[in-house]
């Protein structure tokens, strides 16, 4: 008998390959991000339908400031558009939006739209949509340690550090998926990925389909998670 499909409780996506998707078509990179934003919406919906409880997405890293201003602007415009357009839809669908990363330095309109959707959706409980924006795993750990030091403590433990991460109250990702064939984490969820299953797929993010998501679930179902046990 075929094994039952296991649906991860928390799935995290490193949405990579937007630029290459656009380049293949002779388009500016921002068109890849635009297409990528559509796929993000689709994946949110399909993850919810499948019964995922937490869905994390890497949308902008602390290193992505190295890109051209034009590309950076286009990404923040898309994030604002996403937050504005999903505001009512997410309230109805029951999604709760969370942000991880330092959004205080984002353009004001983008930041305000994000704050609005986070606030409006805070009591929802259908699925958590956790957006990594100006997020870096190392910065997150350093911030957590600095916070603990500011409380006058001089000794920390793992639980304390976990509680000071953006992901406090969230389980660690069961699986981290990266698209576009790159096999690295690029500073994503460094603390939380200790026991995550890693799945690398060759499709560029804008080419991701519902069927690919189910292939990911199939692959995840085959993994034997031991957590150090025999
Ligand atoms: C990922 O796609 C999206 C962001 C980093 C914002 P890329 O823009 O990195 O696309 P590639 O890797 O250049 O193809
Ligand atoms: C990681 O992708 C960041 C996001 C997906 C937001 P990058 O394209 O920035 O990573 P590198 O530079 O290839 O490692
Ligand atoms: Mg990339």
């Amino acid at each position: 008998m075929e094994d039952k499909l296991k649906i991860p409780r928390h799935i995290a996506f490193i949405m990579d390959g937007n630029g290459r998707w656009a380049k293949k078509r002779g388009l500016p990179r921002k068109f890849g991000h635009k297409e990528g934003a559509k796929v993000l919406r689709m994946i949110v919906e399909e993850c919810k339908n499948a019964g995922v409880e937490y869905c994390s997405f890497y949308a902008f890293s602390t290193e992505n400031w190295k890109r051209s201003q034009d590309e950076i602007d286009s990404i923040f415009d898309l994030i604002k558009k996403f937050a504005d357009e999903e505001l009512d839809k997410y309230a109805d669908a029951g999604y709760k939006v969370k942000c991880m990363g330092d959004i205080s330095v984002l353009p004001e309109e983008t930041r305000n739209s994000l704050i609005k959707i986070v606030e409006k959706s805070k009591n929802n409980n259908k699925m958590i949509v956790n957006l990594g924006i100006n997020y870096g795993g190392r910065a997150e750990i350093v911030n957590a340690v600095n916070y603990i030091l500011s409380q006058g403590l001089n000794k920390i433990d793992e639980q304390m550090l976990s509680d000071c991460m953006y992901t406090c109250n969230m389980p660690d990702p069961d699986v981290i998926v990266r698209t576009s064939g790159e096999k690295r984490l690029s500073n994503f969820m460094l603390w939380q990925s200790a026991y995550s299953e890693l799945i690398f797929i060759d499709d560029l993010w804008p080419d991701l389909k519902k069927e690919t998501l189910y292939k990911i679930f199939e692959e995840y179902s085959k993994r034997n998670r031991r957590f150090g046990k025999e």
Side-chain angles (χ1 to χ4, degrees):
M1 205 180 78
E2 212 180 293
D3 282 343
K4 206 171 160 286
L5 194 66
K6 284 194 198 116
I7 302 297
R9 203 172 160 218
H10 183 177
I11 186 166
F13 293 93
I14 301 174
M15 308 186 280
D16 200 16
N18 293 351
R20 277 163 281 172
W21 184 93
K23 195 173 173 209
K24 262 171 68 180
R25 287 161 180 79
L27 297 167
R29 295 176 60 85
K30 57 179 144 191
F31 286 88
H33 298 311
K34 195 171 169 212
E35 200 61 26
K38 288 189 204 159
V39 172
L40 161 67
R41 287 169 163 90
M42 181 275 287
I43 292 291
V44 165
E45 178 89 19
E46 293 304 334
C47 282
K48 191 249 315 180
N49 292 343
V52 170
E53 291 174 58
Y54 302 84
C55 218
S56 294
F57 297 93
Y58 204 5
F60 192 88
S61 76
T62 47
E63 287 72 39
N64 287 147
W65 295 103
K66 294 173 190 161
R67 298 191 178 197
S68 75
Q69 195 57 48
D70 185 53
E71 181 174 355
I72 294 172
D73 291 346
S74 76
I75 293 171
F76 290 142
D77 279 352
L78 282 165
I79 293 174
K80 174 179 162 45
K81 205 159 165 256
F82 174 85
D84 291 345
E85 287 177 6
E86 305 305 308
L87 187 68
D88 294 327
K89 266 189 257 166
Y90 274 25
D92 295 339
Y95 298 123
K96 175 173 175 166
V97 178
K98 289 185 65 154
C99 288
M100 57 176 185
D102 179 11
I103 65 163
S104 73
V105 294
L106 264 44
E108 198 180 344
E109 319 84 71
T110 305
R111 186 176 65 242
N112 287 343
S113 292
L114 284 169
I115 292 171
K116 218 160 144 186
I117 195 167
V118 166
E119 180 59 28
K120 188 163 178 183
S121 66
K122 70 176 182 203
N123 295 320
N124 292 346
N125 56 14
K126 195 84 195 159
M127 184 177 80
I128 299 219
V129 178
N130 180 39
L131 305 173
I133 303 170
N134 190 21
Y135 172 83
R138 287 186 172 182
E140 180 182 36
I141 294 168
V142 169
N143 287 345
V145 172
N146 276 330
Y147 175 75
I148 292 167
L149 290 174
S150 76
Q151 300 302 297
L153 297 163
N154 55 16
K155 198 169 187 299
I156 61 176
D157 59 34
E158 291 187 7
Q159 188 60 49
M160 231 188 244
L161 211 47
S162 287
D163 290 346
C164 294
M165 297 286 168
Y166 291 114
T167 48
C168 63
N169 301 324
M170 284 174 65
D172 288 341
D174 297 296
V175 55
I176 297 179
V177 178
R178 182 169 189 150
T179 54
S180 88
E182 309 294 353
K183 296 177 182 66
R184 55 178 172 265
L185 289 176
S186 301
N187 205 9
F188 188 56
M189 300 188 94
L190 299 183
W191 173 261
Q192 299 85 343
S193 61
Y195 270 99
S196 303
E197 295 298 328
L198 305 178
I199 296 184
F200 298 103
I201 56 177
D202 288 335
D203 306 48
L204 303 174
W205 176 259
D207 288 327
L208 209 69
K209 302 278 180 293
K210 177 182 171 183
E211 293 70 42
T212 330
L213 179 67
Y214 276 81
K215 289 224 167 64
I216 290 165
F217 292 153
E218 277 169 31
E219 172 63 27
Y220 171 71
S221 304
K222 287 188 219 149
R223 302 283 177 96
N224 181 6
R225 307 189 72 194
R226 286 189 286 275
F227 297 99
K229 288 177 288 197
E230 64 191 63

